Amino acid sequence: VPPVMKDEQHKLSKRNGDASFQDLLAKGYLPEAVINYLALLGWSPETEQEIYTMDELIEHFDVKRISRSPAIFDIDKLTWMNGMYLRAMDLETYHETILPWLKPALKNPDLDTMEIAKILQPRIDKLSDIPEAVDFFNHLMDHALEMYRHKKMKSTPELALKALKEARSVIEGIDDADWTEETVHEKLLDLPKKMGLKNGQVLWPVRTAVTGKQFTPGGAIEIVNILGKEESLRRIDRGIARLEEALAGEDLSA
């Protein structure tokens, strides 16, 4: 049986710091994904299929198709496969799977973890990515005001300030009893039409104001819904105040 290599010259070796099966699980990989990936190292099925259940592996495995050449362990391929496994789960299973990683990462126990799971599932490839992906729920991330300038979204700091003020009014006007993702979605998506703007010219500033991050799981609507009315308004007020101060002094580097 050929060895598994870390590159063309070196074998995988725990002594040299290469990950064991347990190490991979601790890094947020699923046991099923690791087994699936390892089964394909040095063995090739007769078809192009890459995702296998254990029963399928047992059925299709043939020792005659084991390669005589060493196989190189590709962590990027394993990460891709792990993401495929996560996205294939039904939402309930996914939610239960990520809770041991998600709950310790959230400081506010009142946040709806199921709603957070919905926005994480299409975007997270391994469980250890979760803490960094959700850190903005704990506090508004430090960010330069230049983030409000987005060429693709056709957003500028001046336009962002106008959009944030209008969005603030819309969010404040949603009754607490009516606060749902559907309501937030309807109200915020009506705003660009009323302002004569594109969706991104309104939603990008809102997402920037409530997260402070360039990349987040979920967009402005989902995040505002999860944060809730009070916290969303507090963060938007902060964004408005910073933009007003910076534009008055023409300093967007802060």
Side-chain angles (χ1 to χ4, degrees):
V1 177
V4 177
M5 311 287 286
K6 68 185 301 179
D7 55 41
E8 293 183 357
Q9 283 82 35
H10 303 92
K11 297 179 182 179
L12 282 179
S13 169
K14 180 71 173 174
R15 182 182 302 172
N16 293 330
D18 296 319
S20 67
F21 183 83
Q22 291 80 3
D23 292 334
L24 291 173
L25 301 190
K27 291 179 179 180
Y29 293 93
L30 301 172
E32 313 92 285
V34 177
I35 290 170
N36 189 159
Y37 178 68
L38 292 178
L40 296 176
L41 282 178
W43 170 75
S44 58
E46 294 183 359
T47 68
E48 297 297 315
Q49 182 177 345
E50 293 186 287
I51 307 299
Y52 286 88
T53 64
M54 181 63 78
D55 288 341
E56 288 174 331
L57 285 171
I58 293 170
E59 178 184 353
H60 293 287
F61 183 80
D62 183 348
V63 70
K64 294 178 182 178
R65 297 189 65 83
I66 294 180
S67 171
R68 295 184 180 183
S69 302
I72 296 178
F73 185 88
D74 184 349
I75 192 66
D76 292 333
K77 184 63 177 287
L78 172 58
T79 300
W80 168 82
M81 186 171 287
N82 199 71
M84 295 294 288
Y85 269 83
L86 288 171
R87 284 183 277 283
M89 293 177 177
D90 62 79
L91 183 58
E92 292 285 345
T93 302
Y94 180 79
H95 180 239
E96 289 300 315
T97 300
I98 71 169
L99 274 181
W101 294 81
L102 181 57
K103 277 192 171 182
L106 296 174
K107 294 181 180 179
N108 182 355
D110 295 328
L111 291 176
D112 190 330
T113 55
M114 182 64 80
E115 290 298 316
I116 296 176
K118 283 167 59 177
I119 65 174
L120 286 174
Q121 189 171 17
R123 299 167 176 89
I124 296 298
D125 286 326
K126 59 184 188 297
L127 301 177
S128 56
D129 293 338
I130 290 174
E132 183 177 356
V134 302
D135 54 6
F136 65 89
F137 283 115
N138 296 323
H139 54 83
L140 180 60
M141 309 303 290
D142 291 335
H143 60 286
L145 295 179
E146 270 297 326
M147 271 183 61
Y148 288 102
R149 193 187 307 280
H150 196 293
K151 185 176 181 180
K152 183 179 178 182
M153 299 295 179
K154 301 187 186 309
S155 174
T156 65
E158 293 80 5
L159 195 58
L161 178 58
K162 181 180 177 182
L164 285 181
K165 288 181 176 180
E166 294 295 327
R168 190 203 188 286
S169 178
V170 166
I171 292 170
E172 187 177 36
I174 300 175
D175 190 271
D176 291 344
D178 295 331
W179 187 272
T180 63
E181 183 178 343
E182 291 74 20
T183 304
V184 174
H185 184 275
E186 177 188 345
K187 299 294 185 181
L188 282 181
L189 274 190
D190 275 347
L191 190 53
K193 300 173 190 174
K194 293 177 180 177
M195 297 179 68
L197 300 174
K198 297 183 180 296
N199 288 351
Q201 291 175 302
V202 174
L203 298 181
W204 173 258
V206 172
R207 184 162 75 92
T208 300
V210 298
T211 69
K213 296 185 76 169
Q214 286 274 4
F215 305 103
T216 59
I221 291 168
E222 296 94 336
I223 292 168
V224 165
N225 173 57
I226 294 169
L227 284 172
K229 180 177 178 178
E230 182 179 342
E231 180 63 13
S232 295
L233 289 175
R234 185 186 72 80
R235 295 185 181 200
I236 289 173
D237 283 342
R238 173 64 176 152
I240 291 172
R242 290 186 66 208
L243 279 170
E244 285 181 334
E245 181 180 359
L247 289 171
E250 290 298 322
D251 180 13
L252 297 176
S253 61

